[in-house]
PDB file of all heavy atoms in Angstrom:
ATOM      1  N   VAL A   1      44.313  57.068  90.193  1.00  0.00           N
ATOM      2  CA  VAL A   1      44.537  57.494  91.581  1.00  0.00           C
ATOM      3  C   VAL A   1      44.155  58.966  91.736  1.00  0.00           C
ATOM      4  O   VAL A   1      43.522  59.349  92.729  1.00  0.00           O
ATOM      5  CB  VAL A   1      45.998  57.228  92.018  1.00  0.00           C
ATOM      6  CG1 VAL A   1      46.315  57.924  93.334  1.00  0.00           C
ATOM      7  CG2 VAL A   1      46.248  55.732  92.137  1.00  0.00           C
ATOM      8  N   TYR A   2      44.519  59.787  90.757  1.00  0.00           N
ATOM      9  CA  TYR A   2      44.161  61.209  90.825  1.00  0.00           C
ATOM     10  C   TYR A   2      42.637  61.373  90.879  1.00  0.00           C
ATOM     11  O   TYR A   2      42.119  62.147  91.697  1.00  0.00           O
ATOM     12  CB  TYR A   2      44.733  61.969  89.626  1.00  0.00           C
ATOM     13  CG  TYR A   2      44.324  63.417  89.621  1.00  0.00           C
ATOM     14  CD1 TYR A   2      44.983  64.341  90.432  1.00  0.00           C
ATOM     15  CD2 TYR A   2      43.266  63.867  88.847  1.00  0.00           C
ATOM     16  CE1 TYR A   2      44.593  65.664  90.462  1.00  0.00           C
ATOM     17  CE2 TYR A   2      42.874  65.189  88.867  1.00  0.00           C
ATOM     18  CZ  TYR A   2      43.535  66.092  89.674  1.00  0.00           C
ATOM     19  OH  TYR A   2      43.134  67.398  89.711  1.00  0.00           O
ATOM     20  N   CYS A   3      41.925  60.655  90.031  1.00  0.00           N
ATOM     21  CA  CYS A   3      40.456  60.753  90.015  1.00  0.00           C
ATOM     22  C   CYS A   3      39.854  60.293  91.339  1.00  0.00           C
ATOM     23  O   CYS A   3      38.912  60.896  91.849  1.00  0.00           O
ATOM     24  CB  CYS A   3      39.880  59.930  88.865  1.00  0.00           C
ATOM     25  SG  CYS A   3      40.157  60.641  87.234  1.00  0.00           S
ATOM     26  N   ILE A   4      40.404  59.220  91.888  1.00  0.00           N
ATOM     27  CA  ILE A   4      39.903  58.715  93.170  1.00  0.00           C
ATOM     28  C   ILE A   4      40.204  59.718  94.275  1.00  0.00           C
ATOM     29  O   ILE A   4      39.330  60.045  95.085  1.00  0.00           O
ATOM     30  CB  ILE A   4      40.512  57.332  93.475  1.00  0.00           C
ATOM     31  CG1 ILE A   4      39.948  56.296  92.506  1.00  0.00           C
ATOM     32  CG2 ILE A   4      40.272  56.940  94.932  1.00  0.00           C
ATOM     33  CD1 ILE A   4      40.679  54.977  92.501  1.00  0.00           C
ATOM     34  N   GLN A   5      41.426  60.233  94.301  1.00  0.00           N
ATOM     35  CA  GLN A   5      41.811  61.169  95.355  1.00  0.00           C
ATOM     36  C   GLN A   5      40.960  62.433  95.323  1.00  0.00           C
ATOM     37  O   GLN A   5      40.595  62.965  96.359  1.00  0.00           O
ATOM     38  CB  GLN A   5      43.283  61.537  95.230  1.00  0.00           C
ATOM     39  CG  GLN A   5      43.749  62.466  96.345  1.00  0.00           C
ATOM     40  CD  GLN A   5      45.204  62.838  96.220  1.00  0.00           C
ATOM     41  OE1 GLN A   5      45.769  62.822  95.133  1.00  0.00           O
ATOM     42  NE2 GLN A   5      45.822  63.168  97.342  1.00  0.00           N
ATOM     43  N   THR A   6      40.643  62.909  94.136  1.00  0.00           N
ATOM     44  CA  THR A   6      39.852  64.137  94.018  1.00  0.00           C
ATOM     45  C   THR A   6      38.357  63.849  93.996  1.00  0.00           C
ATOM     46  O   THR A   6      37.562  64.764  93.803  1.00  0.00           O
ATOM     47  CB  THR A   6      40.259  64.924  92.759  1.00  0.00           C
ATOM     48  OG1 THR A   6      40.098  64.102  91.604  1.00  0.00           O
ATOM     49  CG2 THR A   6      41.702  65.403  92.873  1.00  0.00           C
ATOM     50  N   MET A   7      37.998  62.574  94.202  1.00  0.00           N
ATOM     51  CA  MET A   7      36.613  62.119  94.322  1.00  0.00           C
ATOM     52  C   MET A   7      35.774  62.508  93.106  1.00  0.00           C
ATOM     53  O   MET A   7      34.628  62.926  93.230  1.00  0.00           O
ATOM     54  CB  MET A   7      36.000  62.583  95.640  1.00  0.00           C
ATOM     55  CG  MET A   7      36.738  62.018  96.836  1.00  0.00           C
ATOM     56  SD  MET A   7      36.035  62.427  98.415  1.00  0.00           S
ATOM     57  CE  MET A   7      34.679  61.268  98.439  1.00  0.00           C
ATOM     58  N   ARG A   8      36.358  62.336  91.935  1.00  0.00           N
ATOM     59  CA  ARG A   8      35.591  62.552  90.706  1.00  0.00           C
ATOM     60  C   ARG A   8      34.533  61.459  90.606  1.00  0.00           C
ATOM     61  O   ARG A   8      34.721  60.353  91.094  1.00  0.00           O
ATOM     62  CB  ARG A   8      36.501  62.511  89.485  1.00  0.00           C
ATOM     63  CG  ARG A   8      37.493  63.646  89.485  1.00  0.00           C
ATOM     64  CD  ARG A   8      38.157  63.764  88.135  1.00  0.00           C
ATOM     65  NE  ARG A   8      39.244  64.720  88.174  1.00  0.00           N
ATOM     66  CZ  ARG A   8      39.103  66.017  87.910  1.00  0.00           C
ATOM     67  NH1 ARG A   8      37.941  66.494  87.582  1.00  0.00           N
ATOM     68  NH2 ARG A   8      40.139  66.817  87.966  1.00  0.00           N
ATOM     69  N   SER A   9      33.442  61.776  89.939  1.00  0.00           N
ATOM     70  CA  SER A   9      32.380  60.786  89.784  1.00  0.00           C
ATOM     71  C   SER A   9      32.899  59.621  88.941  1.00  0.00           C
ATOM     72  O   SER A   9      33.756  59.816  88.069  1.00  0.00           O
ATOM     73  CB  SER A   9      31.153  61.411  89.128  1.00  0.00           C
ATOM     74  OG  SER A   9      31.443  61.766  87.792  1.00  0.00           O
ATOM     75  N   PRO A  10      32.416  58.413  89.191  1.00  0.00           N
ATOM     76  CA  PRO A  10      32.886  57.257  88.426  1.00  0.00           C
ATOM     77  C   PRO A  10      32.689  57.400  86.916  1.00  0.00           C
ATOM     78  O   PRO A  10      33.520  56.945  86.146  1.00  0.00           O
ATOM     79  CB  PRO A  10      32.062  56.093  88.983  1.00  0.00           C
ATOM     80  CG  PRO A  10      31.748  56.512  90.373  1.00  0.00           C
ATOM     81  CD  PRO A  10      31.539  58.005  90.290  1.00  0.00           C
ATOM     82  N   ASP A  11      31.607  58.053  86.478  1.00  0.00           N
ATOM     83  CA  ASP A  11      31.419  58.215  85.041  1.00  0.00           C
ATOM     84  C   ASP A  11      32.476  59.153  84.455  1.00  0.00           C
ATOM     85  O   ASP A  11      32.987  58.928  83.359  1.00  0.00           O
ATOM     86  CB  ASP A  11      30.006  58.676  84.686  1.00  0.00           C
ATOM     87  CG  ASP A  11      29.585  59.944  85.384  1.00  0.00           C
ATOM     88  OD1 ASP A  11      30.049  60.188  86.513  1.00  0.00           O
ATOM     89  OD2 ASP A  11      28.779  60.701  84.814  1.00  0.00           O
ATOM     90  N   THR A  12      32.861  60.190  85.184  1.00  0.00           N
ATOM     91  CA  THR A  12      33.937  61.083  84.735  1.00  0.00           C
ATOM     92  C   THR A  12      35.267  60.336  84.726  1.00  0.00           C
ATOM     93  O   THR A  12      36.052  60.456  83.779  1.00  0.00           O
ATOM     94  CB  THR A  12      34.031  62.318  85.648  1.00  0.00           C
ATOM     95  OG1 THR A  12      32.783  63.006  85.631  1.00  0.00           O
ATOM     96  CG2 THR A  12      35.141  63.255  85.217  1.00  0.00           C
ATOM     97  N   THR A  13      35.510  59.545  85.758  1.00  0.00           N
ATOM     98  CA  THR A  13      36.737  58.750  85.827  1.00  0.00           C
ATOM     99  C   THR A  13      36.815  57.788  84.647  1.00  0.00           C
ATOM    100  O   THR A  13      37.861  57.658  84.011  1.00  0.00           O
ATOM    101  CB  THR A  13      36.806  57.970  87.150  1.00  0.00           C
ATOM    102  OG1 THR A  13      36.784  58.906  88.233  1.00  0.00           O
ATOM    103  CG2 THR A  13      38.056  57.116  87.239  1.00  0.00           C
ATOM    104  N   MET A  14      35.704  57.137  84.338  1.00  0.00           N
ATOM    105  CA  MET A  14      35.700  56.202  83.224  1.00  0.00           C
ATOM    106  C   MET A  14      36.043  56.918  81.916  1.00  0.00           C
ATOM    107  O   MET A  14      36.866  56.439  81.140  1.00  0.00           O
ATOM    108  CB  MET A  14      34.352  55.499  83.088  1.00  0.00           C
ATOM    109  CG  MET A  14      34.372  54.427  82.009  1.00  0.00           C
ATOM    110  SD  MET A  14      32.901  53.408  81.958  1.00  0.00           S
ATOM    111  CE  MET A  14      31.827  54.438  80.987  1.00  0.00           C
ATOM    112  N   GLU A  15      35.452  58.083  81.679  1.00  0.00           N
ATOM    113  CA  GLU A  15      35.744  58.834  80.453  1.00  0.00           C
ATOM    114  C   GLU A  15      37.212  59.243  80.415  1.00  0.00           C
ATOM    115  O   GLU A  15      37.859  59.170  79.375  1.00  0.00           O
ATOM    116  CB  GLU A  15      34.846  60.063  80.352  1.00  0.00           C
ATOM    117  CG  GLU A  15      33.417  59.743  79.996  1.00  0.00           C
ATOM    118  CD  GLU A  15      33.262  59.030  78.666  1.00  0.00           C
ATOM    119  OE1 GLU A  15      34.020  59.330  77.708  1.00  0.00           O
ATOM    120  OE2 GLU A  15      32.385  58.160  78.581  1.00  0.00           O
ATOM    121  N   TRP A  16      37.732  59.671  81.540  1.00  0.00           N
ATOM    122  CA  TRP A  16      39.124  60.094  81.618  1.00  0.00           C
ATOM    123  C   TRP A  16      40.052  58.924  81.270  1.00  0.00           C
ATOM    124  O   TRP A  16      40.977  59.054  80.472  1.00  0.00           O
ATOM    125  CB  TRP A  16      39.425  60.607  83.018  1.00  0.00           C
ATOM    126  CG  TRP A  16      40.751  61.289  83.193  1.00  0.00           C
ATOM    127  CD1 TRP A  16      41.936  60.939  82.618  1.00  0.00           C
ATOM    128  CD2 TRP A  16      41.024  62.411  83.992  1.00  0.00           C
ATOM    129  NE1 TRP A  16      42.933  61.775  83.039  1.00  0.00           N
ATOM    130  CE2 TRP A  16      42.397  62.698  83.881  1.00  0.00           C
ATOM    131  CE3 TRP A  16      40.255  63.203  84.825  1.00  0.00           C
ATOM    132  CZ2 TRP A  16      43.015  63.738  84.567  1.00  0.00           C
ATOM    133  CZ3 TRP A  16      40.865  64.242  85.502  1.00  0.00           C
ATOM    134  CH2 TRP A  16      42.228  64.520  85.364  1.00  0.00           C
ATOM    135  N   LEU A  17      39.793  57.762  81.867  1.00  0.00           N
ATOM    136  CA  LEU A  17      40.648  56.605  81.639  1.00  0.00           C
ATOM    137  C   LEU A  17      40.498  56.060  80.215  1.00  0.00           C
ATOM    138  O   LEU A  17      41.479  55.661  79.600  1.00  0.00           O
ATOM    139  CB  LEU A  17      40.356  55.523  82.669  1.00  0.00           C
ATOM    140  CG  LEU A  17      40.639  55.914  84.119  1.00  0.00           C
ATOM    141  CD1 LEU A  17      40.291  54.772  85.059  1.00  0.00           C
ATOM    142  CD2 LEU A  17      42.069  56.364  84.314  1.00  0.00           C
ATOM    143  N   LEU A  18      39.288  56.061  79.699  1.00  0.00           N
ATOM    144  CA  LEU A  18      39.075  55.576  78.338  1.00  0.00           C
ATOM    145  C   LEU A  18      39.730  56.481  77.300  1.00  0.00           C
ATOM    146  O   LEU A  18      40.040  56.036  76.197  1.00  0.00           O
ATOM    147  CB  LEU A  18      37.584  55.440  78.035  1.00  0.00           C
ATOM    148  CG  LEU A  18      36.853  54.301  78.745  1.00  0.00           C
ATOM    149  CD1 LEU A  18      35.373  54.321  78.392  1.00  0.00           C
ATOM    150  CD2 LEU A  18      37.472  52.947  78.423  1.00  0.00           C
ATOM    151  N   SER A  19      39.984  57.738  77.668  1.00  0.00           N
ATOM    152  CA  SER A  19      40.608  58.662  76.710  1.00  0.00           C
ATOM    153  C   SER A  19      42.028  58.237  76.334  1.00  0.00           C
ATOM    154  O   SER A  19      42.574  58.729  75.344  1.00  0.00           O
ATOM    155  CB  SER A  19      40.611  60.091  77.267  1.00  0.00           C
ATOM    156  OG  SER A  19      41.542  60.221  78.329  1.00  0.00           O
ATOM    157  N   HIS A  20      42.604  57.308  77.052  1.00  0.00           N
ATOM    158  CA  HIS A  20      43.938  56.796  76.728  1.00  0.00           C
ATOM    159  C   HIS A  20      43.906  55.775  75.589  1.00  0.00           C
ATOM    160  O   HIS A  20      44.951  55.357  75.116  1.00  0.00           O
ATOM    161  CB  HIS A  20      44.600  56.162  77.954  1.00  0.00           C
ATOM    162  CG  HIS A  20      44.949  57.144  79.018  1.00  0.00           C
ATOM    163  ND1 HIS A  20      45.910  58.117  78.854  1.00  0.00           N
ATOM    164  CD2 HIS A  20      44.452  57.330  80.266  1.00  0.00           C
ATOM    165  CE1 HIS A  20      45.998  58.842  79.950  1.00  0.00           C
ATOM    166  NE2 HIS A  20      45.127  58.388  80.822  1.00  0.00           N
ATOM    167  N   PHE A  21      42.716  55.370  75.183  1.00  0.00           N
ATOM    168  CA  PHE A  21      42.568  54.340  74.160  1.00  0.00           C
ATOM    169  C   PHE A  21      42.015  54.950  72.868  1.00  0.00           C
ATOM    170  O   PHE A  21      41.317  55.968  72.903  1.00  0.00           O
ATOM    171  CB  PHE A  21      41.603  53.252  74.637  1.00  0.00           C
ATOM    172  CG  PHE A  21      42.088  52.509  75.855  1.00  0.00           C
ATOM    173  CD1 PHE A  21      41.769  52.954  77.132  1.00  0.00           C
ATOM    174  CD2 PHE A  21      42.852  51.362  75.723  1.00  0.00           C
ATOM    175  CE1 PHE A  21      42.213  52.271  78.253  1.00  0.00           C
ATOM    176  CE2 PHE A  21      43.299  50.675  76.837  1.00  0.00           C
ATOM    177  CZ  PHE A  21      42.985  51.124  78.097  1.00  0.00           C
ATOM    178  N   CYS A  22      42.281  54.284  71.738  1.00  0.00           N
ATOM    179  CA  CYS A  22      41.712  54.739  70.463  1.00  0.00           C
ATOM    180  C   CYS A  22      40.196  54.510  70.489  1.00  0.00           C
ATOM    181  O   CYS A  22      39.689  53.730  71.294  1.00  0.00           O
ATOM    182  CB  CYS A  22      42.367  54.005  69.290  1.00  0.00           C
ATOM    183  SG  CYS A  22      42.047  52.237  69.274  1.00  0.00           S
ATOM    184  N   PHE A  23      39.472  55.190  69.597  1.00  0.00           N
ATOM    185  CA  PHE A  23      38.009  55.131  69.612  1.00  0.00           C
ATOM    186  C   PHE A  23      37.442  53.709  69.533  1.00  0.00           C
ATOM    187  O   PHE A  23      36.559  53.370  70.330  1.00  0.00           O
ATOM    188  CB  PHE A  23      37.410  56.007  68.505  1.00  0.00           C
ATOM    189  CG  PHE A  23      37.527  57.478  68.798  1.00  0.00           C
ATOM    190  CD1 PHE A  23      38.145  58.321  67.892  1.00  0.00           C
ATOM    191  CD2 PHE A  23      37.024  58.031  69.963  1.00  0.00           C
ATOM    192  CE1 PHE A  23      38.262  59.686  68.149  1.00  0.00           C
ATOM    193  CE2 PHE A  23      37.137  59.380  70.240  1.00  0.00           C
ATOM    194  CZ  PHE A  23      37.757  60.214  69.323  1.00  0.00           C
ATOM    195  N   PRO A  24      37.922  52.851  68.618  1.00  0.00           N
ATOM    196  CA  PRO A  24      37.358  51.490  68.598  1.00  0.00           C
ATOM    197  C   PRO A  24      37.581  50.740  69.921  1.00  0.00           C
ATOM    198  O   PRO A  24      36.699  50.030  70.394  1.00  0.00           O
ATOM    199  CB  PRO A  24      38.115  50.803  67.449  1.00  0.00           C
ATOM    200  CG  PRO A  24      38.553  51.924  66.567  1.00  0.00           C
ATOM    201  CD  PRO A  24      38.843  53.070  67.497  1.00  0.00           C
ATOM    202  N   ALA A  25      38.738  50.927  70.524  1.00  0.00           N
ATOM    203  CA  ALA A  25      39.011  50.278  71.809  1.00  0.00           C
ATOM    204  C   ALA A  25      38.120  50.860  72.904  1.00  0.00           C
ATOM    205  O   ALA A  25      37.663  50.128  73.786  1.00  0.00           O
ATOM    206  CB  ALA A  25      40.481  50.433  72.183  1.00  0.00           C
ATOM    207  N   GLN A  26      37.867  52.171  72.861  1.00  0.00           N
ATOM    208  CA  GLN A  26      36.976  52.794  73.839  1.00  0.00           C
ATOM    209  C   GLN A  26      35.596  52.151  73.788  1.00  0.00           C
ATOM    210  O   GLN A  26      35.003  51.848  74.826  1.00  0.00           O
ATOM    211  CB  GLN A  26      36.842  54.294  73.581  1.00  0.00           C
ATOM    212  CG  GLN A  26      38.035  55.110  73.965  1.00  0.00           C
ATOM    213  CD  GLN A  26      37.830  56.595  73.707  1.00  0.00           C
ATOM    214  OE1 GLN A  26      36.704  57.074  73.595  1.00  0.00           O
ATOM    215  NE2 GLN A  26      38.926  57.322  73.605  1.00  0.00           N
ATOM    216  N   GLU A  27      35.089  51.935  72.574  1.00  0.00           N
ATOM    217  CA  GLU A  27      33.766  51.327  72.419  1.00  0.00           C
ATOM    218  C   GLU A  27      33.759  49.910  72.978  1.00  0.00           C
ATOM    219  O   GLU A  27      32.828  49.524  73.699  1.00  0.00           O
ATOM    220  CB  GLU A  27      33.359  51.322  70.943  1.00  0.00           C
ATOM    221  CG  GLU A  27      33.089  52.708  70.394  1.00  0.00           C
ATOM    222  CD  GLU A  27      32.853  52.707  68.884  1.00  0.00           C
ATOM    223  OE1 GLU A  27      32.576  51.635  68.313  1.00  0.00           O
ATOM    224  OE2 GLU A  27      32.960  53.788  68.285  1.00  0.00           O
ATOM    225  N   GLN A  28      34.791  49.135  72.676  1.00  0.00           N
ATOM    226  CA  GLN A  28      34.867  47.766  73.180  1.00  0.00           C
ATOM    227  C   GLN A  28      34.991  47.737  74.696  1.00  0.00           C
ATOM    228  O   GLN A  28      34.353  46.930  75.362  1.00  0.00           O
ATOM    229  CB  GLN A  28      36.052  47.037  72.548  1.00  0.00           C
ATOM    230  CG  GLN A  28      35.859  46.731  71.083  1.00  0.00           C
ATOM    231  CD  GLN A  28      37.087  46.088  70.466  1.00  0.00           C
ATOM    232  OE1 GLN A  28      38.198  46.216  70.979  1.00  0.00           O
ATOM    233  NE2 GLN A  28      36.886  45.401  69.354  1.00  0.00           N
ATOM    234  N   LEU A  29      35.811  48.611  75.247  1.00  0.00           N
ATOM    235  CA  LEU A  29      35.986  48.660  76.702  1.00  0.00           C
ATOM    236  C   LEU A  29      34.699  49.091  77.393  1.00  0.00           C
ATOM    237  O   LEU A  29      34.342  48.546  78.441  1.00  0.00           O
ATOM    238  CB  LEU A  29      37.133  49.601  77.068  1.00  0.00           C
ATOM    239  CG  LEU A  29      38.524  49.056  76.787  1.00  0.00           C
ATOM    240  CD1 LEU A  29      39.566  50.163  76.915  1.00  0.00           C
ATOM    241  CD2 LEU A  29      38.847  47.903  77.725  1.00  0.00           C
ATOM    242  N   THR A  30      34.020  50.064  76.836  1.00  0.00           N
ATOM    243  CA  THR A  30      32.752  50.509  77.414  1.00  0.00           C
ATOM    244  C   THR A  30      31.773  49.349  77.459  1.00  0.00           C
ATOM    245  O   THR A  30      31.116  49.122  78.475  1.00  0.00           O
ATOM    246  CB  THR A  30      32.169  51.691  76.616  1.00  0.00           C
ATOM    247  OG1 THR A  30      33.114  52.768  76.648  1.00  0.00           O
ATOM    248  CG2 THR A  30      30.856  52.161  77.205  1.00  0.00           C
ATOM    249  N   GLN A  31      31.687  48.597  76.369  1.00  0.00           N
ATOM    250  CA  GLN A  31      30.792  47.438  76.325  1.00  0.00           C
ATOM    251  C   GLN A  31      31.222  46.389  77.343  1.00  0.00           C
ATOM    252  O   GLN A  31      30.395  45.841  78.056  1.00  0.00           O
ATOM    253  CB  GLN A  31      30.768  46.833  74.917  1.00  0.00           C
ATOM    254  CG  GLN A  31      29.808  45.674  74.779  1.00  0.00           C
ATOM    255  CD  GLN A  31      28.371  46.079  75.046  1.00  0.00           C
ATOM    256  OE1 GLN A  31      27.910  47.107  74.571  1.00  0.00           O
ATOM    257  NE2 GLN A  31      27.678  45.290  75.824  1.00  0.00           N
ATOM    258  N   CYS A  32      32.498  46.142  77.439  1.00  0.00           N
ATOM    259  CA  CYS A  32      33.019  45.156  78.388  1.00  0.00           C
ATOM    260  C   CYS A  32      32.683  45.564  79.823  1.00  0.00           C
ATOM    261  O   CYS A  32      32.270  44.738  80.627  1.00  0.00           O
ATOM    262  CB  CYS A  32      34.525  45.009  78.225  1.00  0.00           C
ATOM    263  SG  CYS A  32      35.264  43.835  79.364  1.00  0.00           S
ATOM    264  N   LEU A  33      32.857  46.830  80.129  1.00  0.00           N
ATOM    265  CA  LEU A  33      32.560  47.318  81.479  1.00  0.00           C
ATOM    266  C   LEU A  33      31.069  47.220  81.768  1.00  0.00           C
ATOM    267  O   LEU A  33      30.664  46.900  82.883  1.00  0.00           O
ATOM    268  CB  LEU A  33      33.059  48.751  81.652  1.00  0.00           C
ATOM    269  CG  LEU A  33      34.578  48.910  81.628  1.00  0.00           C
ATOM    270  CD1 LEU A  33      34.964  50.381  81.597  1.00  0.00           C
ATOM    271  CD2 LEU A  33      35.229  48.208  82.803  1.00  0.00           C
ATOM    272  N   GLN A  34      30.236  47.476  80.752  1.00  0.00           N
ATOM    273  CA  GLN A  34      28.793  47.339  80.941  1.00  0.00           C
ATOM    274  C   GLN A  34      28.421  45.882  81.144  1.00  0.00           C
ATOM    275  O   GLN A  34      27.549  45.562  81.949  1.00  0.00           O
ATOM    276  CB  GLN A  34      28.040  47.925  79.745  1.00  0.00           C
ATOM    277  CG  GLN A  34      28.104  49.418  79.675  1.00  0.00           C
ATOM    278  CD  GLN A  34      27.537  49.989  78.379  1.00  0.00           C
ATOM    279  OE1 GLN A  34      27.243  49.256  77.438  1.00  0.00           O
ATOM    280  NE2 GLN A  34      27.396  51.300  78.332  1.00  0.00           N
ATOM    281  N   ASP A  35      29.078  44.971  80.401  1.00  0.00           N
ATOM    282  CA  ASP A  35      28.818  43.546  80.559  1.00  0.00           C
ATOM    283  C   ASP A  35      29.145  43.069  81.963  1.00  0.00           C
ATOM    284  O   ASP A  35      28.558  42.115  82.446  1.00  0.00           O
ATOM    285  CB  ASP A  35      29.647  42.730  79.556  1.00  0.00           C
ATOM    286  CG  ASP A  35      29.171  42.917  78.123  1.00  0.00           C
ATOM    287  OD1 ASP A  35      28.063  43.464  77.920  1.00  0.00           O
ATOM    288  OD2 ASP A  35      29.923  42.531  77.202  1.00  0.00           O
ATOM    289  N   GLN A  36      30.085  43.729  82.610  1.00  0.00           N
ATOM    290  CA  GLN A  36      30.472  43.368  83.967  1.00  0.00           C
ATOM    291  C   GLN A  36      29.518  43.936  85.010  1.00  0.00           C
ATOM    292  O   GLN A  36      29.727  43.809  86.186  1.00  0.00           O
ATOM    293  CB  GLN A  36      31.893  43.865  84.257  1.00  0.00           C
ATOM    294  CG  GLN A  36      32.956  43.234  83.393  1.00  0.00           C
ATOM    295  CD  GLN A  36      33.099  41.758  83.672  1.00  0.00           C
ATOM    296  OE1 GLN A  36      33.051  41.316  84.810  1.00  0.00           O
ATOM    297  NE2 GLN A  36      33.263  40.981  82.625  1.00  0.00           N
ATOM    298  N   LYS A  37      28.483  44.618  84.557  1.00  0.00           N
ATOM    299  CA  LYS A  37      27.482  45.224  85.442  1.00  0.00           C
ATOM    300  C   LYS A  37      28.126  46.235  86.390  1.00  0.00           C
ATOM    301  O   LYS A  37      27.740  46.380  87.528  1.00  0.00           O
ATOM    302  CB  LYS A  37      26.735  44.170  86.245  1.00  0.00           C
ATOM    303  CG  LYS A  37      26.156  43.049  85.415  1.00  0.00           C
ATOM    304  CD  LYS A  37      24.728  43.303  85.069  1.00  0.00           C
ATOM    305  CE  LYS A  37      24.076  42.113  84.412  1.00  0.00           C
ATOM    306  NZ  LYS A  37      24.285  41.975  83.004  1.00  0.00           N
ATOM    307  N   LEU A  38      29.133  46.932  85.890  1.00  0.00           N
ATOM    308  CA  LEU A  38      29.800  47.948  86.682  1.00  0.00           C
ATOM    309  C   LEU A  38      29.042  49.242  86.498  1.00  0.00           C
ATOM    310  O   LEU A  38      29.015  49.812  85.421  1.00  0.00           O
ATOM    311  CB  LEU A  38      31.245  48.110  86.223  1.00  0.00           C
ATOM    312  CG  LEU A  38      32.107  49.036  87.043  1.00  0.00           C
ATOM    313  CD1 LEU A  38      32.249  48.499  88.466  1.00  0.00           C
ATOM    314  CD2 LEU A  38      33.470  49.160  86.409  1.00  0.00           C
ATOM    315  N   SER A  39      28.369  49.693  87.526  1.00  0.00           N
ATOM    316  CA  SER A  39      27.558  50.894  87.441  1.00  0.00           C
ATOM    317  C   SER A  39      28.421  52.115  87.683  1.00  0.00           C
ATOM    318  O   SER A  39      28.924  52.314  88.776  1.00  0.00           O
ATOM    319  CB  SER A  39      26.438  50.848  88.484  1.00  0.00           C
ATOM    320  OG  SER A  39      25.787  52.082  88.551  1.00  0.00           O
ATOM    321  N   CYS A  40      28.595  52.906  86.647  1.00  0.00           N
ATOM    322  CA  CYS A  40      29.412  54.109  86.786  1.00  0.00           C
ATOM    323  C   CYS A  40      28.568  55.347  87.025  1.00  0.00           C
ATOM    324  O   CYS A  40      29.071  56.383  87.374  1.00  0.00           O
ATOM    325  CB  CYS A  40      30.254  54.314  85.537  1.00  0.00           C
ATOM    326  SG  CYS A  40      31.489  53.039  85.362  1.00  0.00           S
ATOM    327  N   CYS A  41      27.292  55.259  86.782  1.00  0.00           N
ATOM    328  CA  CYS A  41      26.449  56.454  86.845  1.00  0.00           C
ATOM    329  C   CYS A  41      25.270  56.295  87.797  1.00  0.00           C
ATOM    330  O   CYS A  41      24.501  57.214  87.965  1.00  0.00           O
ATOM    331  CB  CYS A  41      25.908  56.786  85.459  1.00  0.00           C
ATOM    332  SG  CYS A  41      27.167  56.939  84.212  1.00  0.00           S
ATOM    333  N   ARG A  42      25.112  55.103  88.385  1.00  0.00           N
ATOM    334  CA  ARG A  42      23.934  54.848  89.200  1.00  0.00           C
ATOM    335  C   ARG A  42      23.921  55.761  90.421  1.00  0.00           C
ATOM    336  O   ARG A  42      24.881  55.788  91.194  1.00  0.00           O
ATOM    337  CB  ARG A  42      23.935  53.385  89.661  1.00  0.00           C
ATOM    338  CG  ARG A  42      22.695  53.008  90.443  1.00  0.00           C
ATOM    339  CD  ARG A  42      22.753  51.568  90.879  1.00  0.00           C
ATOM    340  NE  ARG A  42      23.783  51.292  91.859  1.00  0.00           N
ATOM    341  CZ  ARG A  42      23.650  51.522  93.168  1.00  0.00           C
ATOM    342  NH1 ARG A  42      22.558  52.068  93.640  1.00  0.00           N
ATOM    343  NH2 ARG A  42      24.624  51.222  93.987  1.00  0.00           N
TER     344      ARG A  42
END
């Protein structure tokens, strides 16, 4: 909500949210989000 309210870019928001997970989980989540065709940087 903070990232949305302050209109941070989606790629910054994704990095911020992924920072709550351990590195292996971050990699898996990043892949999962890419598989969903969720464009964070387009």
Side-chain angles (χ1 to χ4, degrees):
V1 168
Y2 177 80
C3 288
I4 291 167
Q5 183 180 25
T6 57
M7 299 183 78
R8 295 193 188 269
S9 67
D11 55 329
T12 301
T13 300
M14 185 172 83
E15 286 300 324
W16 190 322
L17 297 179
L18 289 178
S19 72
H20 292 293
F21 297 90
C22 64
F23 287 125
Q26 286 181 20
E27 291 173 17
Q28 290 176 338
L29 286 168
T30 300
Q31 183 62 45
C32 179
L33 293 172
Q34 289 171 350
D35 290 347
Q36 297 294 320
K37 309 265 188 277
L38 186 63
S39 171
C40 293
C41 306
R42 184 180 67 81

